[in-house]
Amino acid sequence: MTRAFICGCAGLALSQEEKSFLREARPWGAILFKRNVASREQLSALTAEIRAALGTDAPILVDQEGGRVQRLGPPVWRAYPSAAAFERLGLPAEETAALVRLGARLIAHDLREVGIDVDCLPVLDTPVDGSHNIIGDRAYSRSPAEIARLGRAAAEGLLDGGVLPVIKHIPGHGRARADSHLELPVVEASRAELEAQDFIPFRADADLPLGMTAHVVYRAIDPELPGTLSKAVIEEIIRGLIGFDGLLMTDDLSMKALSGGFRARAEGAIAAGCDVVLHCNGDLAEARAVAEGAGDLVGRALERARAAKAKAPKEFDPVDGARQLDAALAAGV
């Protein structure tokens, strides 16, 4: 039976120890980073190797946003603009959305070509004055309504290309004044403020298939636990108020916003209501503990996982698409 976790791997190919771990631990999927990427041929071989070890057509994820967060990049792949770059072009709203969708469609083409079928995009966080730059230009706008609209366009571009989108970081990382990779952010905003701004993009796009939590404490909802580990945040806000009923994964459990052992982190996230836990750094000792804490993928979580299946890509000319995107970006410089 599949276990309710997603794991990373250490390098450009799987070691024998990693192959054994994948066969025994049976993660739902795997996630890749720059350390796993060298060429199209190498990356295609790695994704095939992961699926062969698992014995299933397992989902393989990556963070391919554009801008600062791009795991597949030059000189092999094109450099995509940041999310914020689209709004800065100053185009009419419909043209901006069309370009965002086109950019995501091109990303999907790149990913499907090498066996990747899930992209941790779009970022639906809303930055505010004084917040940490960890989100910054990864956000499409400072307007929640515009973030919702452009995030939807990005998701549609990925879906058209046969790649599943992941909305992140639900219910919102944009107000955080710290980088959750390094420490635990605490948001002091009232629930009314959060509902009036931060939650809006997630509510608008709550029908999308996959979501990723935020390692952020929201004092007005749960004064102690970060969203990833908080039943109040997940049940009352994410599943309730926001209405997200897709597969909910954690942000990376190895981030320093969380504390305690890795089995306990995984157990806490599953107990709080996450469907799947994410462990990214490829450390097998940690990954084994995460696998033990995550347990089997069962019940409603399994149903959501089965529902999150990428469809075949729609017909698309990537050369013409790249020409259109480049022309629009050049005109806006």
Side-chain angles (χ1 to χ4, degrees), residues 282-332:
D283 183 311
L284 279 183
E286 291 180 8
R288 287 190 176 94
V290 168
E292 291 170 359
D296 290 334
L297 186 60
V298 296
R300 187 73 186 98
L302 177 59
E303 292 173 8
R304 292 181 181 120
R306 286 174 172 166
K309 295 293 181 184
K311 296 180 180 178
K314 295 181 179 179
E315 188 174 343
F316 178 68
D317 182 344
V319 175
D320 184 59
R323 180 190 58 76
Q324 292 180 47
L325 182 63
D326 289 340
L329 294 172

mmCIF file of all heavy atoms in Angstrom, residues 282-332:
data_model
loop_
_atom_site.group_PDB
_atom_site.id
_atom_site.type_symbol
_atom_site.label_atom_id
_atom_site.label_comp_id
_atom_site.label_asym_id
_atom_site.label_seq_id
_atom_site.Cartn_x
_atom_site.Cartn_y
_atom_site.Cartn_z
ATOM 1 N N GLY A 282 16.327 14.722 0.604
ATOM 2 C CA GLY A 282 16.984 13.501 0.159
ATOM 3 C C GLY A 282 17.756 12.758 1.236
ATOM 4 O O GLY A 282 18.414 11.757 0.936
ATOM 5 N N ASP A 283 17.689 13.226 2.481
ATOM 6 C CA ASP A 283 18.343 12.545 3.603
ATOM 7 C C ASP A 283 17.533 11.293 3.944
ATOM 8 O O ASP A 283 16.405 11.384 4.436
ATOM 9 C CB ASP A 283 18.410 13.494 4.805
ATOM 10 C CG ASP A 283 19.136 12.896 5.993
ATOM 11 O OD1 ASP A 283 18.828 11.750 6.374
ATOM 12 O OD2 ASP A 283 19.994 13.589 6.573
ATOM 13 N N LEU A 284 18.108 10.118 3.706
ATOM 14 C CA LEU A 284 17.339 8.879 3.850
ATOM 15 C C LEU A 284 16.977 8.572 5.292
ATOM 16 O O LEU A 284 15.910 8.001 5.553
ATOM 17 C CB LEU A 284 18.114 7.710 3.240
ATOM 18 C CG LEU A 284 18.022 7.561 1.721
ATOM 19 C CD1 LEU A 284 18.776 6.322 1.276
ATOM 20 C CD2 LEU A 284 16.574 7.487 1.261
ATOM 21 N N ALA A 285 17.816 8.932 6.236
ATOM 22 C CA ALA A 285 17.479 8.690 7.637
ATOM 23 C C ALA A 285 16.237 9.486 8.026
ATOM 24 O O ALA A 285 15.317 8.967 8.675
ATOM 25 C CB ALA A 285 18.657 9.057 8.538
ATOM 26 N N GLU A 286 16.217 10.754 7.628
ATOM 27 C CA GLU A 286 15.029 11.564 7.882
ATOM 28 C C GLU A 286 13.828 11.016 7.132
ATOM 29 O O GLU A 286 12.718 10.944 7.671
ATOM 30 C CB GLU A 286 15.280 13.012 7.454
ATOM 31 C CG GLU A 286 16.278 13.758 8.299
ATOM 32 C CD GLU A 286 16.491 15.187 7.830
ATOM 33 O OE1 GLU A 286 15.756 15.646 6.929
ATOM 34 O OE2 GLU A 286 17.391 15.849 8.366
ATOM 35 N N ALA A 287 14.021 10.642 5.880
ATOM 36 C CA ALA A 287 12.915 10.157 5.053
ATOM 37 C C ALA A 287 12.295 8.886 5.624
ATOM 38 O O ALA A 287 11.074 8.699 5.555
ATOM 39 C CB ALA A 287 13.399 9.923 3.627
ATOM 40 N N ARG A 288 13.118 8.031 6.193
ATOM 41 C CA ARG A 288 12.573 6.810 6.810
ATOM 42 C C ARG A 288 11.664 7.159 7.987
ATOM 43 O O ARG A 288 10.600 6.558 8.169
ATOM 44 C CB ARG A 288 13.710 5.893 7.257
ATOM 45 C CG ARG A 288 14.433 5.207 6.118
ATOM 46 C CD ARG A 288 15.393 4.129 6.620
ATOM 47 N NE ARG A 288 16.003 3.427 5.499
ATOM 48 C CZ ARG A 288 17.178 3.757 4.958
ATOM 49 N NH1 ARG A 288 17.877 4.761 5.468
ATOM 50 N NH2 ARG A 288 17.656 3.082 3.932
ATOM 51 N N ALA A 289 12.091 8.122 8.786
ATOM 52 C CA ALA A 289 11.263 8.555 9.918
ATOM 53 C C ALA A 289 9.967 9.193 9.431
ATOM 54 O O ALA A 289 8.891 8.966 10.010
ATOM 55 C CB ALA A 289 12.046 9.532 10.788
ATOM 56 N N VAL A 290 10.057 9.981 8.364
ATOM 57 C CA VAL A 290 8.859 10.604 7.794
ATOM 58 C C VAL A 290 7.901 9.528 7.292
ATOM 59 O O VAL A 290 6.682 9.597 7.524
ATOM 60 C CB VAL A 290 9.243 11.569 6.657
ATOM 61 C CG1 VAL A 290 8.014 12.004 5.862
ATOM 62 C CG2 VAL A 290 9.958 12.791 7.213
ATOM 63 N N ALA A 291 8.427 8.526 6.605
ATOM 64 C CA ALA A 291 7.585 7.448 6.088
ATOM 65 C C ALA A 291 6.856 6.724 7.213
ATOM 66 O O ALA A 291 5.657 6.407 7.100
ATOM 67 C CB ALA A 291 8.438 6.457 5.297
ATOM 68 N N GLU A 292 7.551 6.484 8.310
ATOM 69 C CA GLU A 292 6.920 5.816 9.450
ATOM 70 C C GLU A 292 5.814 6.682 10.046
ATOM 71 O O GLU A 292 4.740 6.194 10.400
ATOM 72 C CB GLU A 292 7.970 5.505 10.517
ATOM 73 C CG GLU A 292 8.968 4.435 10.091
ATOM 74 C CD GLU A 292 10.141 4.330 11.062
ATOM 75 O OE1 GLU A 292 10.174 5.099 12.051
ATOM 76 O OE2 GLU A 292 11.025 3.488 10.809
ATOM 77 N N GLY A 293 6.074 7.980 10.148
ATOM 78 C CA GLY A 293 5.078 8.869 10.731
ATOM 79 C C GLY A 293 3.899 9.138 9.838
ATOM 80 O O GLY A 293 2.780 9.374 10.312
ATOM 81 N N ALA A 294 4.115 9.098 8.524
ATOM 82 C CA ALA A 294 3.040 9.415 7.589
ATOM 83 C C ALA A 294 1.970 8.332 7.547
ATOM 84 O O ALA A 294 0.783 8.624 7.410
ATOM 85 C CB ALA A 294 3.615 9.626 6.194
ATOM 86 N N GLY A 295 2.397 7.083 7.645
ATOM 87 C CA GLY A 295 1.440 5.991 7.571
ATOM 88 C C GLY A 295 0.926 5.785 6.154
ATOM 89 O O GLY A 295 1.381 6.412 5.191
ATOM 90 N N ASP A 296 -0.050 4.898 6.023
ATOM 91 C CA ASP A 296 -0.589 4.548 4.713
ATOM 92 C C ASP A 296 -1.550 5.617 4.208
ATOM 93 O O ASP A 296 -2.226 6.300 4.989
ATOM 94 C CB ASP A 296 -1.327 3.208 4.784
ATOM 95 C CG ASP A 296 -0.370 2.034 4.999
ATOM 96 O OD1 ASP A 296 0.813 2.157 4.622
ATOM 97 O OD2 ASP A 296 -0.818 1.012 5.551
ATOM 98 N N LEU A 297 -1.609 5.741 2.901
ATOM 99 C CA LEU A 297 -2.538 6.664 2.248
ATOM 100 C C LEU A 297 -3.881 5.950 2.125
ATOM 101 O O LEU A 297 -4.043 5.035 1.308
ATOM 102 C CB LEU A 297 -1.990 7.052 0.875
ATOM 103 C CG LEU A 297 -2.745 8.116 0.090
ATOM 104 C CD1 LEU A 297 -2.803 9.441 0.844
ATOM 105 C CD2 LEU A 297 -2.096 8.319 -1.275
ATOM 106 N N VAL A 298 -4.848 6.365 2.939
ATOM 107 C CA VAL A 298 -6.132 5.660 3.023
ATOM 108 C C VAL A 298 -7.276 6.669 3.084
ATOM 109 O O VAL A 298 -7.069 7.874 3.222
ATOM 110 C CB VAL A 298 -6.186 4.746 4.273
ATOM 111 C CG1 VAL A 298 -5.154 3.632 4.188
ATOM 112 C CG2 VAL A 298 -5.981 5.560 5.548
ATOM 113 N N GLY A 299 -8.498 6.128 3.004
ATOM 114 C CA GLY A 299 -9.697 6.934 3.233
ATOM 115 C C GLY A 299 -9.850 8.085 2.255
ATOM 116 O O GLY A 299 -9.562 7.966 1.067
ATOM 117 N N ARG A 300 -10.320 9.209 2.781
ATOM 118 C CA ARG A 300 -10.576 10.380 1.935
ATOM 119 C C ARG A 300 -9.288 10.890 1.286
ATOM 120 O O ARG A 300 -9.314 11.371 0.146
ATOM 121 C CB ARG A 300 -11.216 11.486 2.781
ATOM 122 C CG ARG A 300 -11.689 12.682 1.963
ATOM 123 C CD ARG A 300 -12.936 12.371 1.146
ATOM 124 N NE ARG A 300 -13.283 13.487 0.279
ATOM 125 C CZ ARG A 300 -12.959 13.577 -1.008
ATOM 126 N NH1 ARG A 300 -12.259 12.604 -1.587
ATOM 127 N NH2 ARG A 300 -13.335 14.615 -1.730
ATOM 128 N N ALA A 301 -8.168 10.771 1.998
ATOM 129 C CA ALA A 301 -6.893 11.201 1.415
ATOM 130 C C ALA A 301 -6.559 10.385 0.176
ATOM 131 O O ALA A 301 -6.098 10.919 -0.840
ATOM 132 C CB ALA A 301 -5.778 11.082 2.449
ATOM 133 N N LEU A 302 -6.802 9.086 0.222
ATOM 134 C CA LEU A 302 -6.557 8.230 -0.930
ATOM 135 C C LEU A 302 -7.482 8.608 -2.082
ATOM 136 O O LEU A 302 -7.058 8.650 -3.247
ATOM 137 C CB LEU A 302 -6.750 6.764 -0.548
ATOM 138 C CG LEU A 302 -6.588 5.743 -1.675
ATOM 139 C CD1 LEU A 302 -5.195 5.832 -2.298
ATOM 140 C CD2 LEU A 302 -6.860 4.327 -1.157
ATOM 141 N N GLU A 303 -8.738 8.899 -1.778
ATOM 142 C CA GLU A 303 -9.676 9.323 -2.817
ATOM 143 C C GLU A 303 -9.199 10.609 -3.492
ATOM 144 O O GLU A 303 -9.257 10.743 -4.721
ATOM 145 C CB GLU A 303 -11.070 9.544 -2.214
ATOM 146 C CG GLU A 303 -11.740 8.269 -1.729
ATOM 147 C CD GLU A 303 -13.044 8.559 -0.988
ATOM 148 O OE1 GLU A 303 -13.489 9.727 -0.994
ATOM 149 O OE2 GLU A 303 -13.610 7.620 -0.408
ATOM 150 N N ARG A 304 -8.731 11.554 -2.696
ATOM 151 C CA ARG A 304 -8.227 12.806 -3.279
ATOM 152 C C ARG A 304 -6.990 12.557 -4.136
ATOM 153 O O ARG A 304 -6.814 13.177 -5.193
ATOM 154 C CB ARG A 304 -7.892 13.799 -2.161
ATOM 155 C CG ARG A 304 -9.107 14.304 -1.392
ATOM 156 C CD ARG A 304 -8.686 15.301 -0.313
ATOM 157 N NE ARG A 304 -9.814 15.795 0.451
ATOM 158 C CZ ARG A 304 -9.968 15.662 1.769
ATOM 159 N NH1 ARG A 304 -9.027 15.057 2.484
ATOM 160 N NH2 ARG A 304 -11.027 16.137 2.363
ATOM 161 N N ALA A 305 -6.112 11.665 -3.679
ATOM 162 C CA ALA A 305 -4.909 11.344 -4.443
ATOM 163 C C ALA A 305 -5.276 10.704 -5.787
ATOM 164 O O ALA A 305 -4.687 11.024 -6.821
ATOM 165 C CB ALA A 305 -4.007 10.420 -3.642
ATOM 166 N N ARG A 306 -6.243 9.805 -5.764
ATOM 167 C CA ARG A 306 -6.661 9.142 -7.005
ATOM 168 C C ARG A 306 -7.306 10.128 -7.971
ATOM 169 O O ARG A 306 -7.188 9.992 -9.194
ATOM 170 C CB ARG A 306 -7.629 8.008 -6.683
ATOM 171 C CG ARG A 306 -6.937 6.785 -6.079
ATOM 172 C CD ARG A 306 -7.928 5.746 -5.635
ATOM 173 N NE ARG A 306 -7.258 4.498 -5.237
ATOM 174 C CZ ARG A 306 -7.849 3.520 -4.567
ATOM 175 N NH1 ARG A 306 -9.139 3.631 -4.197
ATOM 176 N NH2 ARG A 306 -7.172 2.433 -4.255
ATOM 177 N N ALA A 307 -7.993 11.130 -7.413
ATOM 178 C CA ALA A 307 -8.641 12.130 -8.257
ATOM 179 C C ALA A 307 -7.640 13.086 -8.897
ATOM 180 O O ALA A 307 -7.931 13.699 -9.928
ATOM 181 C CB ALA A 307 -9.660 12.926 -7.437
ATOM 182 N N ALA A 308 -6.460 13.215 -8.294
ATOM 183 C CA ALA A 308 -5.447 14.163 -8.784
ATOM 184 C C ALA A 308 -4.580 13.477 -9.827
ATOM 185 O O ALA A 308 -3.428 13.114 -9.584
ATOM 186 C CB ALA A 308 -4.598 14.669 -7.613
ATOM 187 N N LYS A 309 -5.119 13.310 -11.010
ATOM 188 C CA LYS A 309 -4.403 12.666 -12.101
ATOM 189 C C LYS A 309 -4.316 13.624 -13.283
ATOM 190 O O LYS A 309 -5.315 14.188 -13.723
ATOM 191 C CB LYS A 309 -5.123 11.386 -12.543
ATOM 192 C CG LYS A 309 -5.158 10.292 -11.478
ATOM 193 C CD LYS A 309 -3.766 9.749 -11.185
ATOM 194 C CE LYS A 309 -3.802 8.638 -10.154
ATOM 195 N NZ LYS A 309 -2.458 8.180 -9.802
ATOM 196 N N ALA A 310 -3.122 13.815 -13.783
ATOM 197 C CA ALA A 310 -2.942 14.697 -14.939
ATOM 198 C C ALA A 310 -3.539 14.068 -16.186
ATOM 199 O O ALA A 310 -3.507 12.849 -16.373
ATOM 200 C CB ALA A 310 -1.448 14.964 -15.144
ATOM 201 N N LYS A 311 -4.106 14.919 -17.039
ATOM 202 C CA LYS A 311 -4.664 14.462 -18.310
ATOM 203 C C LYS A 311 -3.631 14.629 -19.420
ATOM 204 O O LYS A 311 -2.615 15.296 -19.249
ATOM 205 C CB LYS A 311 -5.928 15.257 -18.632
ATOM 206 C CG LYS A 311 -7.053 15.028 -17.633
ATOM 207 C CD LYS A 311 -8.281 15.837 -17.992
ATOM 208 C CE LYS A 311 -9.398 15.597 -16.984
ATOM 209 N NZ LYS A 311 -10.601 16.409 -17.293
ATOM 210 N N ALA A 312 -3.897 14.032 -20.557
ATOM 211 C CA ALA A 312 -2.996 14.168 -21.695
ATOM 212 C C ALA A 312 -2.944 15.630 -22.133
ATOM 213 O O ALA A 312 -3.955 16.340 -22.091
ATOM 214 C CB ALA A 312 -3.476 13.286 -22.844
ATOM 215 N N PRO A 313 -1.775 16.103 -22.540
ATOM 216 C CA PRO A 313 -1.658 17.490 -22.976
ATOM 217 C C PRO A 313 -2.512 17.791 -24.197
ATOM 218 O O PRO A 313 -2.690 16.936 -25.072
ATOM 219 C CB PRO A 313 -0.171 17.637 -23.317
ATOM 220 C CG PRO A 313 0.514 16.492 -22.665
ATOM 221 C CD PRO A 313 -0.491 15.388 -22.598
ATOM 222 N N LYS A 314 -3.037 19.011 -24.254
ATOM 223 C CA LYS A 314 -3.724 19.482 -25.456
ATOM 224 C C LYS A 314 -2.679 19.833 -26.505
ATOM 225 O O LYS A 314 -1.520 20.095 -26.200
ATOM 226 C CB LYS A 314 -4.588 20.698 -25.128
ATOM 227 C CG LYS A 314 -5.744 20.402 -24.185
ATOM 228 C CD LYS A 314 -6.577 21.646 -23.928
ATOM 229 C CE LYS A 314 -7.738 21.333 -22.994
ATOM 230 N NZ LYS A 314 -8.558 22.558 -22.721
ATOM 231 N N GLU A 315 -3.106 19.855 -27.754
ATOM 232 C CA GLU A 315 -2.187 20.175 -28.844
ATOM 233 C C GLU A 315 -1.586 21.569 -28.651
ATOM 234 O O GLU A 315 -2.294 22.514 -28.275
ATOM 235 C CB GLU A 315 -2.935 20.102 -30.177
ATOM 236 C CG GLU A 315 -2.036 20.229 -31.378
ATOM 237 C CD GLU A 315 -2.776 20.001 -32.688
ATOM 238 O OE1 GLU A 315 -3.883 19.434 -32.653
ATOM 239 O OE2 GLU A 315 -2.234 20.401 -33.733
ATOM 240 N N PHE A 316 -0.292 21.685 -28.903
ATOM 241 C CA PHE A 316 0.409 22.941 -28.603
ATOM 242 C C PHE A 316 1.690 22.995 -29.411
ATOM 243 O O PHE A 316 2.381 21.987 -29.561
ATOM 244 C CB PHE A 316 0.727 22.995 -27.104
ATOM 245 C CG PHE A 316 1.492 24.200 -26.647
ATOM 246 C CD1 PHE A 316 0.916 25.458 -26.674
ATOM 247 C CD2 PHE A 316 2.797 24.080 -26.183
ATOM 248 C CE1 PHE A 316 1.628 26.582 -26.245
ATOM 249 C CE2 PHE A 316 3.513 25.192 -25.749
ATOM 250 C CZ PHE A 316 2.920 26.445 -25.785
ATOM 251 N N ASP A 317 2.018 24.179 -29.927
ATOM 252 C CA ASP A 317 3.269 24.399 -30.642
ATOM 253 C C ASP A 317 4.211 25.175 -29.722
ATOM 254 O O ASP A 317 4.061 26.395 -29.563
ATOM 255 C CB ASP A 317 3.002 25.200 -31.920
ATOM 256 C CG ASP A 317 4.263 25.428 -32.745
ATOM 257 O OD1 ASP A 317 5.370 25.237 -32.207
ATOM 258 O OD2 ASP A 317 4.144 25.807 -33.925
ATOM 259 N N PRO A 318 5.181 24.518 -29.087
ATOM 260 C CA PRO A 318 6.040 25.215 -28.126
ATOM 261 C C PRO A 318 6.931 26.273 -28.769
ATOM 262 O O PRO A 318 7.285 27.260 -28.122
ATOM 263 C CB PRO A 318 6.873 24.085 -27.508
ATOM 264 C CG PRO A 318 6.838 22.995 -28.517
ATOM 265 C CD PRO A 318 5.511 23.086 -29.193
ATOM 266 N N VAL A 319 7.304 26.089 -30.026
ATOM 267 C CA VAL A 319 8.148 27.080 -30.697
ATOM 268 C C VAL A 319 7.367 28.372 -30.896
ATOM 269 O O VAL A 319 7.850 29.478 -30.597
ATOM 270 C CB VAL A 319 8.666 26.524 -32.041
ATOM 271 C CG1 VAL A 319 9.432 27.615 -32.795
ATOM 272 C CG2 VAL A 319 9.543 25.303 -31.809
ATOM 273 N N ASP A 320 6.149 28.260 -31.384
ATOM 274 C CA ASP A 320 5.315 29.447 -31.575
ATOM 275 C C ASP A 320 4.943 30.067 -30.232
ATOM 276 O O ASP A 320 4.920 31.299 -30.091
ATOM 277 C CB ASP A 320 4.044 29.073 -32.344
ATOM 278 C CG ASP A 320 3.182 30.289 -32.652
ATOM 279 O OD1 ASP A 320 3.671 31.214 -33.328
ATOM 280 O OD2 ASP A 320 2.028 30.333 -32.182
ATOM 281 N N GLY A 321 4.670 29.228 -29.240
ATOM 282 C CA GLY A 321 4.340 29.744 -27.917
ATOM 283 C C GLY A 321 5.484 30.531 -27.313
ATOM 284 O O GLY A 321 5.285 31.616 -26.738
ATOM 285 N N ALA A 322 6.701 30.020 -27.453
ATOM 286 C CA ALA A 322 7.875 30.723 -26.933
ATOM 287 C C ALA A 322 8.081 32.038 -27.674
ATOM 288 O O ALA A 322 8.447 33.058 -27.067
ATOM 289 C CB ALA A 322 9.108 29.837 -27.070
ATOM 290 N N ARG A 323 7.850 32.044 -28.973
ATOM 291 C CA ARG A 323 7.984 33.279 -29.750
ATOM 292 C C ARG A 323 6.995 34.342 -29.267
ATOM 293 O O ARG A 323 7.354 35.516 -29.089
ATOM 294 C CB ARG A 323 7.749 32.977 -31.234
ATOM 295 C CG ARG A 323 7.871 34.199 -32.146
ATOM 296 C CD ARG A 323 7.387 33.891 -33.547
ATOM 297 N NE ARG A 323 6.007 33.436 -33.577
ATOM 298 C CZ ARG A 323 4.954 34.251 -33.438
ATOM 299 N NH1 ARG A 323 5.133 35.550 -33.252
ATOM 300 N NH2 ARG A 323 3.739 33.761 -33.482
ATOM 301 N N GLN A 324 5.746 33.914 -29.021
ATOM 302 C CA GLN A 324 4.738 34.859 -28.535
ATOM 303 C C GLN A 324 5.106 35.432 -27.173
ATOM 304 O O GLN A 324 4.987 36.636 -26.925
ATOM 305 C CB GLN A 324 3.381 34.163 -28.445
ATOM 306 C CG GLN A 324 2.761 33.787 -29.774
ATOM 307 C CD GLN A 324 1.420 33.103 -29.562
ATOM 308 O OE1 GLN A 324 0.584 33.564 -28.792
ATOM 309 N NE2 GLN A 324 1.206 31.988 -30.243
ATOM 310 N N LEU A 325 5.546 34.577 -26.255
ATOM 311 C CA LEU A 325 5.906 35.032 -24.920
ATOM 312 C C LEU A 325 7.107 35.982 -24.977
ATOM 313 O O LEU A 325 7.101 37.044 -24.342
ATOM 314 C CB LEU A 325 6.217 33.836 -24.017
ATOM 315 C CG LEU A 325 6.567 34.186 -22.549
ATOM 316 C CD1 LEU A 325 5.401 34.861 -21.855
ATOM 317 C CD2 LEU A 325 6.977 32.930 -21.790
ATOM 318 N N ASP A 326 8.113 35.614 -25.742
ATOM 319 C CA ASP A 326 9.304 36.457 -25.839
ATOM 320 C C ASP A 326 8.980 37.830 -26.412
ATOM 321 O O ASP A 326 9.497 38.852 -25.964
ATOM 322 C CB ASP A 326 10.375 35.781 -26.685
ATOM 323 C CG ASP A 326 11.015 34.579 -25.985
ATOM 324 O OD1 ASP A 326 10.914 34.510 -24.750
ATOM 325 O OD2 ASP A 326 11.599 33.732 -26.667
ATOM 326 N N ALA A 327 8.100 37.858 -27.426
ATOM 327 C CA ALA A 327 7.738 39.126 -28.045
ATOM 328 C C ALA A 327 7.010 40.028 -27.057
ATOM 329 O O ALA A 327 7.287 41.244 -26.972
ATOM 330 C CB ALA A 327 6.868 38.877 -29.288
ATOM 331 N N ALA A 328 6.116 39.449 -26.282
ATOM 332 C CA ALA A 328 5.368 40.245 -25.287
ATOM 333 C C ALA A 328 6.283 40.752 -24.194
ATOM 334 O O ALA A 328 6.172 41.917 -23.780
ATOM 335 C CB ALA A 328 4.242 39.395 -24.703
ATOM 336 N N LEU A 329 7.200 39.912 -23.723
ATOM 337 C CA LEU A 329 8.121 40.334 -22.671
ATOM 338 C C LEU A 329 9.074 41.413 -23.179
ATOM 339 O O LEU A 329 9.379 42.372 -22.478
ATOM 340 C CB LEU A 329 8.904 39.133 -22.152
ATOM 341 C CG LEU A 329 8.092 38.060 -21.411
ATOM 342 C CD1 LEU A 329 8.953 36.837 -21.123
ATOM 343 C CD2 LEU A 329 7.511 38.613 -20.113
ATOM 344 N N ALA A 330 9.537 41.269 -24.422
ATOM 345 C CA ALA A 330 10.445 42.260 -24.986
ATOM 346 C C ALA A 330 9.760 43.603 -25.172
ATOM 347 O O ALA A 330 10.356 44.659 -24.940
ATOM 348 C CB ALA A 330 10.985 41.761 -26.324
ATOM 349 N N ALA A 331 8.493 43.575 -25.567
ATOM 350 C CA ALA A 331 7.745 44.823 -25.766
ATOM 351 C C ALA A 331 7.523 45.558 -24.457
ATOM 352 O O ALA A 331 7.390 46.785 -24.441
ATOM 353 C CB ALA A 331 6.403 44.520 -26.438
ATOM 354 N N GLY A 332 7.523 44.807 -23.363
ATOM 355 C CA GLY A 332 7.266 45.423 -22.066
ATOM 356 C C GLY A 332 8.507 45.941 -21.375
ATOM 357 O O GLY A 332 8.413 46.571 -20.323
#
